[in-house]
Amino acid sequence: MSETVRLVCPAGRKHVELWAGYALVALGAVAVAVDPSHWANVTLGVLLVLVGAALAVHGHMIKSPVLEVSDGEFRYERGRYIVRVPFHDIGSYHVLPGRIRSLGLCDTAGRPKRFPSLQNRRTSRAYLPLTGMTSPAKVESFMAVAGIPPRKRSLTS
């Protein structure tokens, strides 16, 4: 496959922290603008701006999972954690249901592939965590465009 196919999973916590941070900064500016001569308004405004800025900065630091298929390679990236699998080693996939969805990959024989843990522990896992806002339909359409069949329709199941 010569084209790059990419899916960025939406992170709800990131959106909430960004919107809340920007709202608190605006609320702090309004609190100071209402009556800048009173010390309580200025103190409240400065505190709101500082908390809002900290919340917005923390929201920008949250990394969303990215699925990408390009140049014969499947890549999963979440912050500094990167998993690379040769495209020809993937036989099928399945999306695990739950509050936080996960993507499981199977090899050409139908066995689940194992990946190192996200927290540098000695255990390994058979799935790649996505986010709770990730729609299974979007993952299925991404995998269909990439050319990876679902587990229930794979030839080896």
Side-chain angles (χ1 to χ4, degrees), residues 45-121:
V46 169
L47 286 175
L48 286 173
V49 166
L50 289 175
V51 169
L55 199 58
V57 166
H58 188 264
H60 280 290
M61 292 172 51
I62 295 173
K63 302 292 183 193
S64 299
V66 177
L67 302 172
E68 185 175 346
V69 175
S70 66
D71 299 327
E73 179 180 72
F74 175 87
R75 186 169 62 221
Y76 169 86
E77 183 176 340
R78 185 174 186 173
R80 294 184 320 207
Y81 180 73
I82 298 173
V83 172
R84 294 178 177 188
V85 179
F87 189 72
H88 58 81
D89 288 349
I90 301 173
S92 61
Y93 77 94
H94 61 281
V95 178
L96 288 99
R99 194 172 68 93
I100 297 180
R101 291 179 180 78
S102 299
L103 176 69
L105 296 177
C106 299
D107 61 8
T108 54
R111 295 182 306 264
K113 293 187 78 51
R114 305 295 293 177
F115 306 105
S117 174
L118 290 175
Q119 302 298 328
N120 292 328
R121 296 187 182 122

Side-chain angles (χ1 to χ4, degrees), residues 9-19 62 64 131-134:
C9 300
R13 183 173 154 209
K14 178 176 184 137
H15 296 297
V16 169
E17 286 190 17
L18 289 175
W19 280 100
I62 295 173
S64 299
T131 61
M133 292 181 64
T134 304

